[in-house]
C-alpha cells in the first residue's frame, strides 16, 4: 500500500496491524474510523514516567514516579484494616497505603527492600502518601527502567486498552513520519504562530512529547502545539455552526402571521404591564415568527426578569396561526410550574394544554400522546421527555426551551429536527438566566440571535444579603420565626454535601426534622429530587398556596421556581456553591414588591476565594456583574462550572481557557467561507463527529 498522499490518511483503521473487526467496532465507538481519526484522537492527559522525583520534591495531587527504601511496614486497624509502608530516599519520606493486599505482598514489602513506584501523591496528616501505587521491587543496584517521553493517556472506551491505543497511534504516526502527508487546513493568513511547528510535528509532539517538554505547559494545554490544534478545533466548530445557520436559514418555517388577538387578550388579563424590555423582546420574537425561515433566538434575562410571560406570548402567536407549541424545562418541578402558569393564562382563552414528563405512564400517557398527535393540544409543556421518539406532533411550529444552558448545541438541533414537516422546521426560542460571556457566545451560539431583557419588573426591591457563620444558627432560626410571624414564606436550602442525590436528600431530611423541633409552630415541608412526582407537585402547590411556611429543599429548586410570597432564603453551606448557583438560588426570592432577604450560612474557617464569593453576593444583585466576577475569580479553565462543558464536545480546546482565541477564530471562520470554502468539509471531517449529520456539506 502506498502511503504518501494525504488521501491515505483516510485509510480505514483496519489497514493497521492488529485491527480486526472487533477492535474496529470499539474504535468506532470513540469516533475513530480512519488513520487520520487516530492521529486526531488526542491525549486527555500525560503521565511523567521519564524521571524519578526525589521525595523532598513531591507535590500534592500529581502523579509521579518515585524510588526509595522501605523503613518499616505495619498493619493497622482504623475503620478498616490496612497496610502502611514507609519509604525514604535520603531526601524525604512517603507512606504507601494499601487497603487490599495479599500475604505474599505483605512479605514482599519488608524493611530494607528497594521499590520503584508510580501513583498520585496526596498530602495527608502524616505527610505525603500514595494509595495503591503501581510498584516494582528493585535489586540493590538495579536502575529502574524509565520511559523516554511523557506517557500520553488517551480517552478510552471499554474493551480498548491504553496500550492498544498507544500501539495503533504509533503505527499511525509512522505513516506520515517522514513525508508529512497530513493536510494543512489553516492557511497562514488565518493562523500564525512563531513556534515553527508544522502540523505533523505538532501531532507528533502531542502524542509522544519528548522528555524535556515543559510539563506545566502541557498540563495546562498552553504548549504551542496544543494551542495550534485547539485553534483549529475551535475553527472547525465555528465553521460548522456558521454552516448550520446558513442551512437553517434556507429551511422553510411556517410564517406565523396571526393577528395577535390572543396576545392582546392575554395582556389584558394579566395583573401587570409588560416592562419596556419585555415588550421589546416580545416584538423581536413576533417579528421572527412572521418570517418564513426558522427563528433561532436566545432570550437572556436575569432571574426574575419575567421570561415566562414572553414564552406565553410567543406560544399564543404560534397557536393563533394554527400551530402547536412545545415548551420544555430542564426539571420536572419547573415544567410543572410552567404548566400551571400556562394553564391559568391560556385555558381562559380556550386553548387546550397537555403535560408530559418521563414519569407519566399508562393511560395518562397514552391520552397525552393522543392529544399531541391529533393536534388537540395547542401547547405541550414538559421535560425533555417531549423529545422522545414516540411523541409525535401534528403541526409543531414553535419549540421553546427554558434554562437551556443544560443542553448542548447538537441537542438543540435535534429538537429542531423533531418538528420537521416536509422542508419546514419549527421556530426555536431558548431562554436562559445564565449570562453568557461574549466570547463564549461567539463560539457556542454563533447559530443564534440574541435578545436581552435588561430590566426587572417595576417595584422590585434589591434583595438584602447577610453572611452568617454556622455558629450563629440560632439567630437565623429566630429570624425565620419572625419572618413567618409577619406572613412571609421561607426557603431553607441544604446544598450539596456530597455529589449524590441520595445524600443530599438525607441531609435535607435531617434538617427538616431539626427545624421541626426548633420551630414547632411553623408548617414545614420538605422537597428533594427523590420524592415521587405527585408528592413534589403537592408540596410545591401547598407552598405556593401559602399553606406551608417554610420549605426545606435541596438544590432542586435552583432554577425557575416562582413563589412571589416567599421573601426569605436561607442557604446552608453557602461556601460550597459557585457564584452563579448562589445567584440562581437567591433569585427564588425578591419576586414581589415585598422586601426580601437572603442569609448565606457558612462553616468556618472560610477560605479566601469563598470569602470573596460571599462578599460579592452581598454587594450586588446583578446577574451579569456576578457572572463577570465569577470569571475573574475562578479564572480561565473553570468558569460557569460543569454546566457549560456540555456545550460543545471539544477534544483539546476549552471555550473558557482559550477564550482569547475566539475572536480570531471567528475571523478565521469568515475567511474560510469567503476564500477557502474547499476547507470546510475537511475541517468538519477532521474535528466533528456528532455534528456531522447536521453539518454535512
Ligand atoms: P424569570 O423566569 O425571568 O426568572 P418569571 O417569568 O418567573 O421570571 O417571572 C418572575 C415573576 O415576575 C413572576 O411572578 C411573574 O408573574 C412576575 N412578572 C413578570 N413580568 C412582570 C411585570 N412586567 N410586572 C410585574 N410582575 C411581572
Ligand atoms: Mg424562569
Amino acid at each position: 500500500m502506498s502511503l504518501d498522499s494525504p488521501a491515505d490518511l483516510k485509510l480505514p483503521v483496519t489497514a493497521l496491524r492488529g485491527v480486526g473487526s472487533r477492535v474496529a467496532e470499539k474504535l468506532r465507538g470513540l469516533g475513530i474510523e480512519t488513520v487520520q481519526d487516530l492521529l486526531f484522537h488526542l491525549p486527555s492527559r500525560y503521565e511523567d514516567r521519564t524521571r524519578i522525583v526525589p521525595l523532598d520534591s513531591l507535590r500534592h495531587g500529581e502523579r509521579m514516579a518515585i524510588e526509595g527504601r522501605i523503613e518499616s511496614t505495619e498493619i493497622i486497624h482504623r475503620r478498616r484494616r490496612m497496610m502502611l509502608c514507609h519509604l525514604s530516599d535520603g531526601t524525604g519520606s512517603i507512606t504507601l497505603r494499601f487497603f487490599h493486599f495479599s500475604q505474599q505482598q505483605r512479605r514482599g514489602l519488608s524493611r530494607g527492600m528497594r521499590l520503584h513506584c508510580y501513583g498520585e501523591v496526596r498530602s495527608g496528616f502524616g505527610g505525603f502518601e500514595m494509595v495503591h501505587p503501581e510498584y516494582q521491587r528493585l535489586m540493590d543496584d538495579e536502575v529502574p527502567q524509565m520511559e523516554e517521553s511523557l506517557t500520553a493517556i488517551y480517552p478510552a472506551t471499554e474493551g480498548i486498552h491504553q496500550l492498544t491505543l498507544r500501539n495503533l497511534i504509533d503505527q499511525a504516526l509512522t505513516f506520515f513520519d517522514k513525508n508529512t502527508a497530513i493536510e494543512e487546513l489553516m492557511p497562514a493568513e488565518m493562523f500564525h504562530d512563531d513556534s515553527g511547528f508544522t502540523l505533523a510535528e505538532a501531532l507528533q509532539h502531542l502524542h509522544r512529547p519528548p522528555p524535556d517538554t515543559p510539563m506545566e505547559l502541557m498540563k495546562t494545554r498552553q504548549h504551542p502545539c496544543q494551542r495550534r490544534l485547539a485553534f483549529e478545533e475551535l475553527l472547525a466548530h465555528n465553521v460548522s455552526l456558521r454552516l448550520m445557520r446558513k442551512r437553517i436559514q434556507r429551511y422553510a418555517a411556517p410564517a406565523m402571521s396571526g393577528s395577535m388577538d390572543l396576545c392582546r387578550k392575554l395582556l389584558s388579563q394579566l395583573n401587570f404591564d409588560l416592562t419596556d424590555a419585555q415588550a421589546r423582546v416580545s416584538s423581536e420574537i413576533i417579528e421572527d415568527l412572521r418570517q418564513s425561515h426558522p427563528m433561532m433566538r436566545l432570550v437572556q434575562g436575569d432571574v426574575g426578569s419575567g421570561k415566562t410571560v414572553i414564552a406565553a406570548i410567543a406560544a399564543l402567536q404560534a397557536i393563533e396561526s394554527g400551530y402547536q407549541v412545545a415548551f420544555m424545562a430542564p426539571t420536572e418541578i419547573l415544567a410543572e410550574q410552567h404548566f400551571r402558569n400556562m394553564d391559568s393564562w391560556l385555558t381562559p382563552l380556550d386553548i387546550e394544554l397537555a403535560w408530559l414528563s418521563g414519569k407519566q405512564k399508562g393511560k395518562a400517557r397514552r391520552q397525552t400522546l393522543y392529544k399531541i398527535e391529533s393536534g388537540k393540544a395547542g401547547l405541550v409543556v414538559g421535560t425533555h421527555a417531549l423529545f422522545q421518539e414516540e411523541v409525535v406532533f401534528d403541526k409543531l411550529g414553535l419549540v421553546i426551551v427554558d434554562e437551556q444552558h443544560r443542553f448542548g448545541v447538537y441537542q438543540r438541533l435535534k429538537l429542531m429536527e423533531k418538528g420537521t414537516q416536509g422542508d419546514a422546521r419549527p421556530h426555536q426560542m431558548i431562554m436562559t438566566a445564565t449570562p453568557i460571556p461574549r466570547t463564549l457566545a461567539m463560539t457556542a451560539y454563533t447559530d443564534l440571535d440574541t435578545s436581552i431583557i435588561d430590566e426587572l419588573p417595576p417595584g422590585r426591591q434589591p434583595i438584602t444579603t447577610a453572611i452568617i457563620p454556622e455558629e450563629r444558627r440560632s439567630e437565623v432560626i429566630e429570624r425565620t420565626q419572625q419572618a413567618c410571624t409577619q406572613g412571609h414564606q421561607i426557603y431553607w436550602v441544604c446544598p450539596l454535601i456530597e455529589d449524590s442525590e441520595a445524600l443530599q436528600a438525607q441531609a435535607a431530611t435531617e434538617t427538616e426534622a431539626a427545624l421541626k423541633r426548633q420551630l414547632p409552630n411553623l408548617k414545614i415541608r420538605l422537597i428533594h429530587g427523590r420524592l415521587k412526582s405527585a408528592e413534589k407537585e403537592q408540596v410545591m402547590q401547598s407552598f405556593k398556596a401559602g399553606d406551608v411556611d417554610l420549605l426545606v429543599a435541596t438544590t432542586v429548586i435552583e432554577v425557575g421556581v416562582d413563589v412571589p410570597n416567599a421573601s426569605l432564603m436561607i442557604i446552608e453551606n453557602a461556601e460550597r456553591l459557585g457564584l452563579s448557583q448562589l445567584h440562581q438560588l437567591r433569585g427564588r426570592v425578591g419576586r414581589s414588591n415585598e422586601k426580601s432577604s437572603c442569609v448565606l450560612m457558612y462553616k468556618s474557617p472560610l477560605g479566601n476565594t469563598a470569602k470573596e464569593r460571599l462578599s460579592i453576593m452581598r454587594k450586588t444583585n446583578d446577574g451579569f456583574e456576578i457572572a463577570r466576577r465569577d470569571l475573574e475569580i475562578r479564572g480561565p479553565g473553570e468558569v460557569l462550572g460543569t454546566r457549560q462543558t456540555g456545550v460543545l464536545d471539544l477534544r483539546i480546546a476549552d471555550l473558557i481557557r482559550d477564550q482569547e482565541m475566539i475572536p480570531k477564530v471567528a475571523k478565521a471562520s469568515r475567511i474560510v467561507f469567503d476564500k477557502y470554502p474547499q476547507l470546510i468539509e475537511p475541517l468538519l471531517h477532521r474535528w466533528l463527529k456528532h455534528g456531522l449529520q447536521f453539518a454535512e456539506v
Side-chain angles (χ1 to χ4, degrees):
M1 86 192 121
S2 139
L3 290 168
D4 44 24
S5 83
D8 293 326
L9 288 172
K10 300 225 171 88
L11 271 177
V13 281
T14 43
L16 300 174
R17 257 177 295 114
V19 185
S21 58
R22 197 191 62 85
V23 173
E25 186 56 43
K26 298 276 182 207
L27 288 173
R28 196 167 312 129
L30 289 168
I32 299 171
E33 297 187 9
T34 63
V35 174
Q36 158 157 306
D37 293 339
L38 264 176
L39 288 177
F40 284 87
H41 188 66
L42 301 175
S44 47
R45 62 185 178 83
Y46 297 93
E47 288 182 348
D48 187 353
R49 294 168 184 259
T50 63
R51 63 196 183 96
I52 301 283
V53 179
L55 295 181
D56 65 352
S57 313
L58 297 178
R59 277 196 306 268
H60 171 79
E62 299 208 11
R63 302 177 68 85
M64 295 174 152
I66 56 169
E67 189 196 301
R69 200 176 284 279
I70 300 180
E71 298 276 318
S72 63
T73 294
E74 55 181 331
I75 308 273
I76 61 165
H77 293 80
R78 285 290 137 81
R79 253 179 304 172
R80 16 196 316 212
R81 182 166 166 269
M82 59 186 93
M83 172 168 71
L84 302 182
C85 182
H86 306 285
L87 209 66
S88 75
D89 70 348
T91 70
S93 62
I94 187 169
T95 301
L96 313 179
R97 191 184 291 269
F98 298 86
F99 295 104
H100 313 280
F101 51 93
S102 61
Q103 277 311 316
Q104 194 194 349
Q105 259 179 314
R106 183 181 165 182
R107 263 181 264 115
L109 293 176
S110 54
R111 186 183 147 81
M113 199 71 222
R114 268 185 76 216
L115 291 185
H116 169 45
C117 314
Y118 184 84
E120 184 176 334
V121 177
R122 317 234 108 237
S123 147
F125 288 116
F128 286 118
E129 62 174 55
M130 279 185 185
V131 178
H132 280 271
E134 294 169 34
Y135 71 88
Q136 183 199 348
R137 297 196 298 164
L138 299 173
M139 293 295 117
D140 263 347
D141 51 357
E142 187 179 346
V143 180
Q145 187 79 43
M146 302 308 288
E147 300 284 341
E148 276 175 18
S149 62
L150 296 177
T151 312
I153 305 295
Y154 294 98
T157 186
E158 199 118 338
I160 291 238
H161 202 272
Q162 282 295 329
L163 284 176
T164 313
L165 275 173
R166 204 167 301 154
N167 170 289
L168 294 178
I169 286 167
D170 274 335
Q171 289 187 55
L173 285 168
T174 50
F175 266 8
F176 74 108
D177 198 17
K178 296 189 185 63
N179 39 14
T180 313
I182 188 132
E183 201 179 354
E184 176 58 73
L185 301 179
M186 291 199 299
E189 70 174 296
M190 285 196 255
F191 181 84
H192 177 75
D193 76 328
D194 312 322
S195 68
F197 285 103
T198 64
L199 175 58
E201 285 162 353
L203 283 169
Q204 177 75 41
H205 197 102
L206 282 182
H207 286 293
R208 302 291 172 260
D212 58 354
T213 307
M215 269 298 266
E216 248 349 271
L217 279 189
M218 290 301 272
K219 256 193 219 143
T220 52
R221 300 201 187 159
Q222 296 296 337
H223 193 281
C225 295
Q226 291 163 310
R227 293 178 57 78
R228 190 214 172 287
L229 283 159
F231 191 96
E232 188 176 313
E233 180 173 37
L234 288 172
L235 177 64
H237 279 275
N238 192 298
V239 162
S240 106
L241 289 173
R242 197 174 277 268
L243 189 67
M244 230 142 48
R245 187 186 170 93
K246 277 184 196 286
R247 285 177 65 218
I248 287 166
Q249 281 165 343
R250 282 207 303 268
Y251 280 135
M256 298 175 166
S257 47
S259 62
M260 295 191 61
D261 270 355
L262 288 177
C263 292
R264 268 189 289 274
K265 280 189 188 143
L266 170 72
L267 294 182
S268 70
Q269 105 198 354
L270 289 177
N271 54 5
F272 54 77
D273 292 327
L274 294 187
T275 60
D276 288 346
Q278 283 171 316
R280 172 175 40 80
V281 172
S282 306
S283 349
E284 283 167 2
I285 291 163
I286 300 271
E287 189 50 40
D288 279 1
L289 292 175
R290 292 204 166 113
Q291 308 301 316
S292 54
H293 57 84
M295 162 168 83
M296 289 292 272
R297 188 167 285 276
L298 176 70
V299 175
Q300 283 192 58
D302 208 345
V303 279
S305 61
K307 294 182 286 292
T308 320
V309 69
I310 294 185
I313 291 171
L316 285 174
Q317 180 65 4
I319 293 167
E320 185 171 9
S321 311
Y323 292 91
Q324 284 175 298
V325 179
F327 186 5
M328 175 165 84
T331 67
E332 204 166 319
I333 293 177
L334 185 52
E336 176 72 38
Q337 172 187 292
H338 282 331
F339 179 73
R340 284 181 188 274
N341 265 326
M342 295 294 157
D343 189 38
S344 72
W345 288 337
L346 272 55
T347 306
L349 305 175
D350 282 332
I351 292 162
E352 194 155 336
L353 276 71
W355 154 257
L356 189 75
S357 90
K359 293 191 183 143
Q360 211 169 23
K361 296 271 145 40
K363 193 166 163 220
R365 185 173 189 89
R366 280 198 303 280
Q367 279 175 349
T368 304
L369 291 177
Y370 170 73
K371 270 188 14 191
I372 301 174
E373 182 155 10
S374 63
K376 279 177 72 174
L379 173 66
V380 189
V381 184
T383 56
H384 49 259
L386 279 179
F387 297 96
Q388 287 163 354
E389 230 152 83
E390 52 169 341
V391 186
V392 180
F393 287 83
D394 177 40
K395 253 183 118 182
L396 181 61
L398 168 65
V399 175
I400 303 173
V401 185
D402 193 15
E403 300 297 352
Q404 80 85 44
H405 50 278
R406 303 193 175 197
F407 302 98
V409 175
Y410 298 113
Q411 277 165 305
R412 191 155 80 217
L413 288 157
K414 270 201 189 123
L415 305 190
M416 178 157 244
E417 299 296 314
K418 182 84 196 174
T420 304
Q421 297 192 343
D423 278 345
R425 298 290 185 279
H427 295 283
Q428 221 180 98
M429 163 177 158
I430 288 148
M431 307 197 290
T432 178
T434 307
I436 299 150
R438 204 179 67 89
T439 46
L440 188 63
M442 278 172 79
T443 294
Y445 300 92
T446 308
D447 58 327
L448 297 179
D449 296 310
T450 307
S451 293
I452 298 182
I453 314 179
D454 48 8
E455 179 183 4
L456 292 180
R460 291 288 161 81
Q461 314 222 23
I463 306 167
T464 319
T465 300
I467 303 174
I468 294 183
E470 173 68 33
E471 295 83 61
R472 285 164 54 198
R473 195 182 183 88
S474 57
E475 284 170 45
V476 178
I477 303 252
E478 214 165 280
R479 186 158 172 182
T480 305
Q481 176 70 56
Q482 271 168 16
C484 178
T485 314
Q486 292 159 6
H488 300 298
Q489 286 173 282
I490 302 131
Y491 291 102
W492 190 296
V493 182
C494 319
L496 303 171
I497 304 299
E498 297 281 334
D499 209 7
S500 130
E501 224 183 309
L503 288 175
Q504 273 201 63
Q506 188 195 337
T509 309
E510 283 162 14
T511 306
E512 185 209 12
L515 287 173
K516 275 186 166 157
R517 280 194 305 275
Q518 291 159 316
L519 295 161
N521 55 349
L522 260 57
K523 280 172 280 180
I524 299 179
R525 293 292 298 270
L526 169 68
I527 192 159
H528 58 69
R530 296 208 127 195
L531 295 183
K532 294 230 159 57
S533 311
E535 205 174 346
K536 274 192 259 186
E537 183 186 334
Q538 197 267 330
V539 173
M540 278 319 291
Q541 277 324 106
S542 357
F543 189 59
K544 199 149 195 165
D547 299 334
V548 170
D549 301 313
L550 185 152
L551 185 64
V552 179
T554 58
T555 46
V556 288
I557 60 147
E558 180 184 340
V559 288
V561 171
D562 182 47
V563 179
N565 190 51
S567 58
L568 176 59
M569 160 74 60
I570 317 281
I571 304 177
E572 289 198 59
N573 296 315
E575 79 281 3
R576 299 177 189 230
L577 296 177
L579 272 175
S580 304
Q581 208 177 4
L582 285 170
H583 181 61
Q584 276 286 341
L585 276 170
R586 181 173 63 181
R588 298 312 112 218
V589 297
R591 300 186 151 243
S592 72
N593 295 347
E594 286 285 343
K595 194 132 190 56
S596 293
S597 38
C598 174
V599 175
L600 302 176
M601 272 206 278
Y602 66 88
K603 276 211 178 66
S604 339
L606 213 46
N608 279 340
T609 317
K611 208 177 272 173
E612 192 174 351
R613 263 205 305 258
L614 296 184
S615 93
I616 289 169
M617 288 301 292
R618 193 179 50 212
K619 284 189 209 129
T620 179
N621 278 297
D622 176 347
F624 283 84
E625 170 69 10
I626 287 174
R628 202 179 56 72
R629 296 303 306 271
D630 203 14
L631 204 128
E632 266 172 32
I633 295 183
R634 281 198 276 173
E638 256 195 86
V639 169
L640 297 185
T642 50
R643 282 207 195 143
Q644 295 287 356
T645 55
V647 171
L648 292 175
D649 223 346
L650 295 169
R651 276 180 245 176
I652 183 159
D654 179 308
L655 286 179
I656 306 299
R657 186 194 54 224
D658 300 328
Q659 53 177 319
E660 105 291 349
M661 283 185 193
I662 289 173
K664 289 181 210 127
V665 168
K667 192 165 156 221
S669 169
R670 279 193 296 275
I671 300 178
V672 170
F673 277 83
D674 292 346
K675 289 170 71 179
Y676 305 98
Q678 74 280 10
L679 294 179
I680 295 175
E681 213 224 281
L683 270 172
L684 299 185
H685 261 101
R686 183 176 286 176
W687 289 104
L688 273 72
K689 291 292 175 251
H690 311 296
L692 270 185
Q693 47 179 314
F694 303 106
E696 211 87 272
V697 193

